[in-house]
Amino acid sequence: MRAPWRRVAAAELQRATRAAIDPTTQAEAARIVEDVRVGGEPALRAHAERLGDLRPGEPLVRGTAELIAARDGLPAADRALLERTAARIEAFAQAQRRCLLPLDVPVPGGRAGHRWMPVAAVGAYAPGGRYPLPSSALMTTIPARVAGVPMARLASPRPAAITLAAAAVAGCEQVLAVGGALAVAAFAFGVGGPACDMVVGPGNRWFTAAKRHLFGEIGLDGLAGPSELLIVADSSADPAWVAADLLAQAEHDVDARAVLVATSADLVAAVDEELARQLAALPTAATAAAALANAGRVALATDVEAAIAVADRLAPEHLQLMVRDARAWSERPRAYGALFVGSRSAEVFGDYGIGPNHVLPTGGTARFQAGLSVATFLRPATWLDVHDPAGVGADAADLAALEGLPGHAAAARLRDGMPTAAATRSGGR
């Protein structure tokens, strides 16, 4: 049985496009957001009840006591699992934070630098549709806390007990029980809690459309599209492992993109057989098979160098190197959201909290943007302390004159002790 995906020439592989938000969704999401902007909580509740996020009279916000009760009600093994995962995410975030140092350097006439300042409030999202995603609750809120964000709110529609428990483990004080465009609007306009300066996390097309609508009004981590995995593999790769990783990606959603660029035709044939065999026993086979049929691709490359060149052109969300000497090749790729080095470094390890974040750029945006991290929530705000502007003021004044801005020039000349145009006309210095 042949695997349900398309074989193409490597040159034909196209960069995934950002999730296309159809005009109807974009318009409806914008309408919901603007209704909440004007109508506040009553408008949000009306939409939430209409969409099935809330039942009449059901609480909009799940508070600290309920989160702690959900955590304490977990089986001991499940709670320990969440706490171990949270500890690994926090340790990695703490290490990232230690890399972000303040700057203080001499400049002509004084000193300058920057300090890393956290945003005041963050709204984080954990999807709750087909599957509850407690991992996203941990991934989005823990780095914000490590960054020093004073208030991190979490939203999840119809939150499962495991998501509430994860929120408690992550240190959240509340969970907003709505999703999609409503969550973005509640965060942006302070419904159910403080207004947020930034909204982060993965979500469906409604969530993405609402983020796009408020672009420039609130900070965003990006506009996520369907999840992507590109595997570069040579003849040393185990076809069963390759197939398993492709299917793990494909079961996310029917639009998920699973791509293999291989240097061996024999490996491709073996992976085809493994995909068919593993699909037959996979409970999520319907979704995974649809994803392979929709966006799954396999291509041959002449060698590993050529395969990595294809990966750089596509800039995938996840890039996995299943090749000989993978560590030696690991510094060659230049465009990816997250890199998984060697066959043992399964992409699923990134999903489930070994340390690095799983909220990553999609649709080729890894060419210019990185995944969620402590740095997402911090701004390197610069400062300048000039105590002796001699010389510097003259240059600033001359540049201002070149640009035709005499007020700028006058302000600079005052600091440098030079006569301004007004002072010259009045006979002063």
Side-chain angles (χ1 to χ4, degrees):
M1 178 180 175
R2 184 171 173 178
W5 59 349
R6 283 179 53 193
R7 296 174 185 243
V8 298
E12 294 177 28
L13 284 171
Q14 298 297 313
R15 182 183 298 143
T17 56
R18 190 188 299 281
I21 303 298
D22 63 275
T24 300
T25 299
Q26 188 65 59
E28 177 64 12
R31 184 179 72 83
I32 290 171
V33 168
E34 294 306 316
D35 280 354
V36 176
R37 186 198 297 270
V38 174
E41 184 171 329
L44 185 141
R45 280 188 168 277
H47 281 294
E49 291 176 12
R50 174 178 66 86
L51 296 169
D53 282 0
L54 290 177
R55 291 187 290 270
E58 193 173 20
L60 172 64
V61 174
R62 309 296 178 86
T64 304
E66 187 173 353
L67 306 190
I68 292 173
R71 181 199 64 191
D72 293 347
L74 287 179
D78 291 348
R79 176 173 174 173
L81 173 61
L82 287 180
E83 290 175 342
R84 285 196 307 274
T85 303
R88 290 193 293 262
I89 295 168
E90 181 168 358
F92 189 81
Q94 292 281 9
Q96 287 184 314
R97 182 64 185 89
R98 289 193 293 272
C99 290
L100 302 175
L101 301 176
L103 178 67
D104 184 338
V105 296
V107 297
R111 303 193 69 82
H114 68 225
R115 54 180 64 93
W116 291 93
M117 299 172 61
V119 298
V122 167
Y125 192 63
R130 184 181 293 119
Y131 313 108
L133 295 180
S135 59
S136 289
L138 302 177
M139 287 283 188
T140 52
T141 56
I142 290 173
R145 180 163 50 79
V146 171
V149 174
M151 168 62 73
R153 303 175 62 194
L154 184 73
S156 188
R158 300 173 299 281
I162 189 67
T163 301
L164 298 177
V169 169
C172 294
E173 297 178 1
Q174 61 169 232
V175 171
L176 190 67
V178 295
L182 290 173
V184 178
F187 287 149
F189 308 133
V191 178
C196 296
D197 302 301
M198 175 175 281
V199 174
V200 303
N204 61 16
R205 60 195 173 101
W206 299 95
F207 184 75
T208 302
K211 287 169 81 176
R212 178 177 286 157
H213 178 68
L214 291 174
F215 176 78
E217 189 170 344
I218 55 174
L220 305 175
D221 57 335
L223 300 175
S227 193
E228 309 157 5
L229 170 65
L230 190 153
I231 296 177
V232 170
D234 63 15
S235 60
S236 70
D238 185 323
W241 290 17
V242 174
D245 289 351
L246 291 167
L247 291 176
Q249 184 67 24
E251 75 174 353
H252 271 292
D253 185 83
V254 296
D255 293 319
R257 193 179 201 215
V259 177
L260 171 63
V261 181
T263 63
S264 164
D266 289 343
L267 174 68
V268 170
V271 170
D272 278 351
E273 293 179 4
E274 278 294 330
L275 284 171
R277 184 183 68 80
Q278 293 181 32
L279 273 170
L282 188 67
T284 52
T287 299
L292 288 174
N294 289 341
R297 300 291 185 269
V298 57
L300 281 172
T302 54
D303 53 30
V304 174
E305 182 75 32
I308 290 176
V310 171
D312 277 347
R313 178 163 55 82
L314 271 55
E317 178 187 17
H318 307 98
L319 174 61
Q320 193 165 348
L321 299 181
M322 302 178 74
V323 298
R324 295 182 187 86
D325 302 321
R327 288 180 185 170
W329 284 106
S330 64
E331 294 189 12
R332 168 62 181 80
R334 288 291 179 267
Y336 54 81
L339 179 67
F340 300 85
V341 182
S343 291
R344 293 186 180 275
S345 300
E347 184 273 332
V348 70
F349 293 157
D351 286 344
Y352 290 120
I354 279 187
N357 213 280
H358 75 198
V359 181
L360 299 166
T362 61
T365 58
R367 292 169 294 131
F368 53 81
Q369 126 182 33
L372 192 73
S373 73
V374 165
T376 303
F377 307 105
L378 293 164
R379 300 155 291 153
T382 60
W383 56 267
L384 181 63
D385 183 353
V386 177
H387 54 81
D388 181 11
V392 177
D395 279 354
D398 289 346
L399 278 171
L402 285 175
E403 294 187 353
L405 296 170
H408 284 62
R413 289 179 186 279
L414 283 172
R415 268 64 174 192
D416 206 13
M418 299 177 294
T420 66
T424 301
R425 286 195 300 272
S426 66
R429 250 195 92 193

